[in-house]
């Protein structure tokens, strides 16, 4: 972030068009170099300098309040019916009812009738006209401009009652749209308020409450039972169970003891903990989640880009059509001017693009917020849509389909070497390696108290193993393929290797250029949930599941068969996994790669959607993946697919609703059946349908589990 960049929180930002206008107004401030308004997160970023007074002046047309990013938002929770604009709308409705009583008693042209409807228009349309007239003066044509023209036109031709109805229903539509957006934003505001603003820091024997901004790395934070952790850190004293639902979406408490990681926003349920702070407040896991979710909501999905481009030409086109409807029939066919001007105004109202403009962003903001509450970080609308279109999912094996904690199961000495000697030499080489299999050997050696020897000239052999010099002799440890390159493996050793691999074990060979000294078999336990997850994915319409692993083919096929994986590809180097993803994309279209976000980074980056597991505490996963499952648990994958498919389906429905209702209403112009009543009801109706349809995405995890069966019939989405 540039040094002259400033972040602000916004209150009162009511609509997409308002956000665009606000951004335009700020851009006109001379000292501002660049500006970005994030409508979904109600957030503002500017490069350059501007005072809060200048920013609020730029947003005065919408009553926007500007607050510094880290300032707590003391926004009043006003009931829907107590908001000023909604009170004016209800008063307007009251005058409309009275106006129609006069209409039926005294007639349409009676002064009392016209006066009452005029009051309804002025009271209910005050905010509308305030913006609409300013836009007209600047020749800016948005929804409020169109409505202002329509209401003025209705009054001019004597349709006071219908003008009042247009004002009331438009105000009602705006109120409901604002309500729905605020509901969708609650997922972000709830995240922001998860971590406390103050932390209890221990200084010697004294505990002091300080602002989180003043906490420093290595400070000792005290967390008592029932309190929330204010910062990320590492337990240095005590043990307890912490509820990590705010981060991972999992409500089952996780036991923490010395050396374990603690996340800001998690709740200490039982014991007393002292935690060494490891990250500043802006770098905590919850801070990164909030930032990434907000950035995700700002990113325009493909469907939203289409709608934005379409709306750019749609509004001027509607105005031209309305003008032609109003003037051509009277000019060409000597038709009634009042009748066709009325129809032109109705076209103007029905053409208002409210529903179309809001059709995609409300759905995306709601879905991404829902996912964040359930421990799934979707980093943009584009990734949400791509996930909804997935055909194939490829999985890394170790740590994804398996527990990722391999254990040594067999040590087979060859020749005069003992098990202890094999462990000692293997441990000495693997001490320099980061591979999970190396960890398994080291743990086994420690348990067996095998001697550790000094290794020199360690060298990793990518995808195959490693070598080092011990006591003057060069030793190799790695997969059988490595030793086939060095010196052919004897037939009897090959048979032993085949037997171990057939049992689903990974075999490593220890030896030199000329001799084999032993075999070490390692097994990684399959996750209990992996089988049911594969089944759920197929039910959701995923056509193919593929396991990619550097493990040998025999072991990989045994595991793949047990899990019901469609295809297994083994003996793969990192570049082979990348090539496999490209090949799958060429033959199947959208392909996701699921891994741990650290290994297989090229494959994750190349896939249509890169999904990383265990995002909590893994910065690499948060940074590199398109989607991060915050818990180290694949069970959230079917939910992610289900939510994405549902979001994509709802976006398509919304665009269909928005355009379909408009087209039907516009066709009513031909027989002359379109009235201002029908026009505004069509516009408000489409907006309500879009908003209510999008709100379905707010449903929690349990509801979406039921949606799996619903999506079986939507595989083509």
């Amino acid at each position: 972030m540039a040094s002259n960049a400033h972040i602000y929180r916004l209150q009162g930002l009511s609509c997409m068009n308002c956000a665009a206008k606000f951004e335009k107004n700020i851009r006109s401030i001379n000292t501002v170099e660049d500006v970005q308004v994030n409508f979904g997160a109600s957030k503002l970023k500017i490069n350059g300098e501007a005072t809060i007074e200048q920013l609020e002046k730029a947003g005065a047309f919408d009553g926007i309040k500007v607050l510094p990013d880290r300032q707590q938002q003391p926004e009043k929770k006003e009931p829907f019916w107590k908001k000023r604009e909604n009170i004016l709308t209800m008063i307007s409705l009251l005058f409309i009812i009275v106006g129609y009583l006069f209409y039926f008693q005294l007639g349409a042209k009676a002064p009392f009738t016209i006066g009452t409807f005029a009051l309804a228009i002025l009271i209910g349309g005050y905010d509308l006209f305030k913006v609409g007239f300013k836009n007209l003066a600047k020749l800016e044509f948005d929804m409020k401009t169109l409505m202002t023209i329509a209401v003025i036109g209705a009054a001019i031709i004597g349709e006071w009652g219908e003008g009042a109805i247009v004002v009331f229903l438009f105000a009602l539509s705006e109120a409901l749209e604002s309500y729905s957006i605020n509901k969708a934003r609650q997922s972000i505001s709830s995240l922001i308020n998860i971590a406390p603003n103050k932390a209890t820091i221990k200084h010697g024997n004294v505990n002091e409450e300080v602002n989180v901004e003043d906490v420093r790395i290595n400070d000792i934070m005290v967390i008592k039972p029932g309190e929330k952790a204010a910062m990320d850190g590492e337990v240095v004293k005590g043990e307890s169970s912490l509820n990590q639902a705010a981060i991972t979406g999992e409500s089952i408490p996780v036991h923490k003891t010395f050396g374990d990681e603690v996340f800001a926003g998690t709740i200490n349920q039982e014991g007393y903990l002292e935690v060494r702070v490891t990250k500043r407040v802006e770098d905590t896991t919850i801070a990164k989640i909030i930032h990434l979710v907000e950035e995700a909501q700002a990113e325009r999905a493909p469907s939203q880009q289409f709608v934005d481009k379409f709306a750019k030409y749609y509004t001027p086109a509607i105005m031209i059509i309305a003008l032609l409807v109003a003037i051509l029939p009277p000019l060409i066919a000597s038709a009634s001017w009042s009748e066709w001007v009325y129809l032109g105004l109705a076209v103007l109202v029905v053409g208002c693009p409210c529903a179309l403009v809001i059709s995609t962003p409300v759905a995306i903001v709601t879905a991404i917020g829902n996912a964040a509450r359930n421990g799934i970080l979707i980093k943009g609308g584009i990734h949400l849509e791509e996930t909804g279109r997935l055909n194939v999912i490829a999985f890394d094996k170790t740590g994804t389909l398996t527990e990722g904690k391999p254990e040594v199961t067999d040590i087979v000495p060859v020749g005069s070497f003992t098990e202890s000697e094999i462990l000692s030499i293997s441990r000495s080489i693997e001490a320099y390696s980061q591979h999970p299999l190396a960890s398994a050997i080291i743990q086994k050696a420690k348990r067996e108290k095998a001697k550790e020897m000094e290794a020199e000239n360690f060298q990793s052999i990518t995808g195959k193993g490693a070598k080092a010099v011990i006591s003057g002799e060069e030793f190799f440890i790695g997969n059988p393929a490595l030793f086939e390159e060095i010196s052919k493996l004897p037939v009897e050793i090959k048979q032993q290797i085949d037997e171990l691999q057939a049992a689903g074990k990974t075999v490593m060979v220890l030896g030199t250029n000329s001799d084999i000294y032993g075999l070490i078999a390692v097994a990684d336990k399959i996750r209990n949930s992996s089988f049911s997850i594969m089944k759920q994915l197929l039910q959701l319409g995923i056509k193919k599941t593929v396991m990619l692993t550097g493990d040998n083919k025999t072991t990989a096929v045994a595991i793949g068969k047990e899990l019901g994986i469609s295809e297994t590809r083994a003996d793969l180097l990192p570049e082979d996994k990348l090539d496999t993803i490209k090949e799958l994309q060429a033959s199947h279209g959208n392909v996701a790669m699921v891994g741990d976000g650290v290994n297989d980074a090229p494959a994750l980056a190349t896939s249509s959607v890169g999904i990383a597991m265990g995002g909590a505490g893994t910065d690499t996963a948060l940074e590199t993946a398109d989607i991060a499952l915050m818990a180290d648990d694949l069970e959230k994958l079917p939910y992610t697919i289900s939510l994405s498919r549902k979001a994509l389906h709802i976006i398509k429905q919304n665009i269909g609703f928005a355009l379909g209702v408009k087209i039907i209403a516009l066709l009513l112009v031909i027989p002359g059946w379109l009235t201002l009543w029908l026009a505004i009801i069509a516009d408000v109706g489409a907006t309500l349908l879009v908003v209510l349809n999008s709100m379905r995405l707010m449903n929690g995890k349990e509801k979406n589990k039921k949606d799996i069966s619903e999506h079986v019939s939507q595989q083509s989405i």
Side-chain angles (χ1 to χ4, degrees), residues 278-314:
T278 55
K279 294 178 183 177
R280 294 178 60 84
V281 64
E282 61 269 21
D283 298 323
T284 61
T285 301
I286 189 67
K288 286 183 178 178
I289 292 171
I290 292 165
H291 172 72
L292 291 169
V293 170
E294 289 178 337
E295 291 301 306
Q297 293 186 333
E299 183 184 328
R300 294 188 182 277
S303 59
Q304 190 172 344
Q305 290 171 2
F306 159 75
V307 166
D308 289 347
K309 285 179 184 176
F310 184 82
K312 185 179 177 182
Y313 301 103
Y314 170 84

Side-chain angles (χ1 to χ4, degrees), residues 233-504:
E234 184 181 277
V235 177
V236 292
K237 183 178 180 182
E239 58 180 285
S240 182
S241 293
L242 269 71
N243 184 327
Q244 299 188 149
I247 304 293
T248 65
E250 296 296 332
S251 57
I252 299 172
V254 178
H255 189 73
K256 301 284 183 177
T257 187
F258 182 84
D260 287 340
E261 191 170 16
V262 169
F263 303 116
T266 56
I267 303 169
N268 182 13
Q269 296 198 317
E270 298 168 352
Y272 170 89
L273 289 175
E274 289 185 9
V275 175
R276 181 179 65 83
V277 175
T278 55
K279 294 178 183 177
R280 294 178 60 84
V281 64
E282 61 269 21
D283 298 323
T284 61
T285 301
I286 189 67
K288 286 183 178 178
I289 292 171
I290 292 165
H291 172 72
L292 291 169
V293 170
E294 289 178 337
E295 291 301 306
Q297 293 186 333
E299 183 184 328
R300 294 188 182 277
S303 59
Q304 190 172 344
Q305 290 171 2
F306 159 75
V307 166
D308 289 347
K309 285 179 184 176
F310 184 82
K312 185 179 177 182
Y313 301 103
Y314 170 84
T315 304
I318 284 294
M319 293 192 68
I320 293 168
I321 291 169
L323 183 63
L324 293 175
V325 167
I327 66 172
L328 283 184
L331 289 175
I332 295 171
S334 300
S336 165
W337 276 99
S338 62
E339 181 183 340
W340 285 96
V341 167
Y342 176 84
L343 281 170
L345 294 173
V347 169
L348 209 59
V349 171
V350 82
C352 185
C354 300
L356 185 63
V357 169
I358 204 171
S359 60
T360 301
V362 173
I364 286 173
V365 167
T366 307
I368 288 175
N370 179 330
R373 287 198 311 275
N374 285 290
I376 301 157
L377 185 58
I378 301 175
K379 291 168 65 175
I382 185 170
H383 307 307
L384 181 76
E385 290 194 14
E386 289 290 317
T387 304
R389 297 189 182 98
L390 287 176
N391 299 313
V392 176
I393 301 182
F395 297 87
D396 176 38
K397 176 179 75 72
T398 306
T400 302
L401 297 173
T402 63
E403 297 283 359
K405 298 172 183 175
E407 292 187 357
V408 174
T409 57
D410 302 89
I411 299 174
V412 182
V414 176
S416 60
F417 270 62
T418 64
E419 286 189 19
S420 180
E421 287 172 323
I422 292 169
L423 270 178
S424 290
I425 295 170
S426 301
R427 172 188 185 173
S428 303
I429 301 172
E430 297 289 27
Y432 297 93
S433 175
Q434 298 297 316
H435 198 281
L437 297 183
S439 176
I441 290 171
I442 291 167
Q443 292 304 317
K444 176 71 171 176
K446 285 180 179 177
R447 286 195 299 271
E448 299 294 329
K449 295 183 171 53
K451 179 183 175 184
E452 188 172 6
M453 306 166 76
E454 188 175 339
E456 299 173 332
N457 301 328
F458 171 84
Q459 186 178 334
S460 175
I461 305 169
T462 305
K464 294 175 183 176
K467 65 179 180 178
V469 175
I470 298 174
S471 301
E473 189 170 10
E474 188 175 54
F475 285 88
F476 293 80
I477 184 168
N479 59 30
L482 173 63
F483 283 84
E484 286 288 355
E485 291 176 7
I486 297 169
S487 60
K488 292 290 182 183
L489 289 168
V491 175
E492 62 274 15
I493 290 178
K494 279 186 179 181
Q495 287 176 344
Q496 287 178 303
I497 290 171
D498 290 343
E499 287 172 11
L500 291 167
Q501 289 177 342

